[in-house]
Amino acid sequence: MTIMSSTSLSLGLDSVTNKSYLLHFLQLLSTCMAFFLVTRESTWSVDISNWSMFVWCFCFAVTLLTLIAELCGLQDKLHFWDSFLITSACYCALFCLSASIIYPIIHLQIFPDGSPRHHVIAATAFSGIASVAYAVEVVWTCARTGEPSCSLLGLLKRLEIFVACVIFAFLSNTYPNERQPALVWCVAVYCTCFILGAVAMLWHRCDCDESLPYSCLGFGQSVLAVLLYTTALVLWSLYQFNGDFGGQPQRSNELSCIDELTSYLCVWDQRLAVAILTAVNLLIYVADLVILTVIFLRCLFQRIKVQSSDSDPQDHHILLLTILRPGLSDHHGLLPPLPEAALHLRGLLPGGQSGHLDSGPK
């Protein structure tokens, strides 16, 4: 019986390993082919396409390192391996999806016909296949392991960092004017929120803990991000698209949009993309804040319930009177001494006293 159980377990592990290898090989092939097709026919002529090239190279490198680690059996020695797989595959899926959208929008207009256009279509198709392969890996790993990082909150955290990365890609060609501190403030907001989110993810190993300390930290971080992104959205829109603040309200008046090589995604378009992505990330942070508020209140009520349960049932009315009447004192010796839980809670209330009530007449 033991031999049969061991055999079935080995077969199950082999099946899981084979599926993982198959997904990794498909991801490597797709990203490599997309990169090869773009470089072969020189269908890489706009600065913003650097993002697509970076995405395919980055995803290929991460997947190759992951495959080498699995072939060497390192996943058994790393307790956070499943979280790493989910996080890396989630980001690669989002990156490849963005490349599949941005790259053809630009290059299908630059190359209206001929062999370069066919290579653009083929590279876009392989990038889409890679995105689907990474998404399948995320869903499959979450269903197989049940990691806490697969929760909605964990996916929102990853999405916030991903949108910030895309904002940085568009900011590479829209340098803020040093004479406009408001635009420099916007860039500082993007960097600050990105760093805080990345540190929070790494510190908690991508797990969304629902304990009270983490929920307090996450709640405060989300409130700060919502406030910062709100200021960035207002300031970026005013100083980039309002003529009274030195912005350019009309696309036709932008010099870079007149150039034939950059007219498909000129600097004005990239500034508009930054504004839209800022609004999108603000909405994501608001959704994150709503979820964290619910978690924070639930943890707080559970903590209060646990502290209240430490007292005896007959002392609950004393605890209630203590909470409702912080200045209550027993001058006639009619009230028994307060339990420790009541004294603790009373000390936490405004105007409460941390000392014992007088138990005897004065």
Side-chain angles (χ1 to χ4, degrees):
M1 190 68 177
T2 305
I3 297 177
M4 293 179 61
S5 299
S6 302
T7 303
S8 61
L9 181 59
S10 294
L11 292 176
L13 292 176
D14 291 339
S15 176
V16 170
T17 304
N18 292 334
K19 292 178 181 178
S20 178
Y21 289 163
L22 180 61
L23 284 174
H24 290 330
F25 280 124
L26 180 59
Q27 294 159 0
L28 289 174
L29 177 63
S30 301
T31 53
C32 183
M33 286 301 298
F35 179 84
F36 174 75
L37 289 170
V38 170
T39 56
R40 182 179 180 183
E41 290 291 335
S42 299
T43 54
W44 178 28
S45 57
V46 181
D47 291 338
I48 195 62
S49 63
N50 294 340
W51 169 257
S52 302
M53 300 294 289
F54 164 77
V55 163
W56 297 324
C57 293
F58 173 80
C59 294
F60 180 86
V62 171
T63 306
L64 181 61
L65 292 176
T66 302
L67 181 60
I68 293 174
E70 290 182 346
L71 290 174
C72 296
L74 297 179
Q75 69 273 19
D76 297 331
K77 301 178 182 179
L78 301 175
H79 63 280
F80 58 87
W81 182 256
D82 291 332
S83 294
F84 169 76
L85 280 181
I86 295 169
T87 301
S88 61
C90 185
Y91 280 129
C92 288
L94 293 172
F95 285 158
C96 289
L97 179 61
S98 66
S100 303
I101 296 173
I102 296 174
Y103 182 76
I105 287 178
I106 303 171
H107 293 82
L108 286 179
Q109 301 179 70
I110 297 177
F111 304 103
D113 53 12
S115 177
R117 180 181 179 86
H118 298 157
H119 281 77
V120 170
I121 295 175
T124 303
F126 278 111
S127 181
I129 293 173
S131 178
V132 173
Y134 285 115
V136 169
E137 183 181 5
V138 172
V139 175
W140 176 63
T141 307
C142 287
R144 178 173 56 88
T145 61
E147 280 289 317
S149 57
C150 296
S151 63
L152 177 60
L153 185 60
L155 296 178
L156 287 177
K157 292 293 185 183
R158 292 177 177 84
L159 193 58
E160 293 163 0
I161 297 178
F162 164 73
V163 175
C165 291
V166 181
I167 290 176
F168 293 145
F170 283 109
L171 281 175
S172 61
N173 294 322
T174 57
Y175 305 106
N177 192 341
E178 294 183 358
R179 291 173 297 179
Q180 297 177 344
L183 298 181
V184 179
W185 165 262
C186 295
V187 177
V189 166
Y190 302 141
C191 295
T192 301
C193 294
F194 173 80
I195 293 174
L196 290 177
V199 169
M201 292 284 289
L202 294 176
W203 183 264
H204 294 278
R205 301 192 311 274
C206 306
D207 296 337
C208 295
D209 188 11
E210 293 190 2
S211 62
L212 187 58
Y214 176 76
S215 61
C216 291
L217 178 62
F219 178 78
Q221 179 184 340
S222 296
V223 171
L224 178 63
V226 168
L227 295 177
L228 291 178
Y229 259 87
T230 301
T231 62
L233 178 60
V234 174
L235 293 176
W236 184 271
S237 301
L238 287 177
Y239 282 85
Q240 293 287 16
F241 306 109
N242 193 318
D244 296 336
F245 293 89
Q248 187 60 263
Q250 298 295 329
R251 183 180 187 272
S252 57
N253 296 332
E254 182 69 37
L255 295 178
S256 62
C257 298
I258 303 176
D259 189 358
E260 182 179 356
L261 294 178
T262 61
S263 61
Y264 300 111
L265 195 63
C266 61
V267 174
W268 194 91
D269 296 329
Q270 296 179 47
R271 291 170 180 169
L272 179 61
V274 171
I276 294 174
L277 291 172
T278 302
V280 170
N281 222 11
L282 177 60
L283 293 177
I284 297 173
Y285 275 112
V286 170
D288 186 6
L289 179 60
V290 172
I291 296 175
L292 282 172
T293 301
V294 175
I295 295 176
F296 173 74
L297 293 177
R298 184 172 60 190
C299 293
L300 185 61
F301 289 151
Q302 288 178 352
R303 178 68 62 88
I304 294 176
K305 182 178 180 181
V306 169
Q307 292 179 349
S308 299
S309 63
D310 293 338
S311 59
D312 295 331
Q314 61 269 23
D315 295 327
H316 285 177
H317 67 287
I318 304 296
L319 178 62
L320 180 61
L321 289 175
T322 304
I323 295 175
L324 296 178
R325 298 281 303 277
L328 180 66
S329 60
D330 185 15
H331 298 287
H332 304 286
L334 299 178
L335 297 177
L338 289 176
E340 292 298 328
L343 293 172
H344 177 68
L345 287 177
R346 183 172 183 176
L348 295 177
L349 293 174
Q353 301 175 2
S354 58
H356 290 277
L357 294 176
D358 297 332
S359 57
K362 298 290 184 179

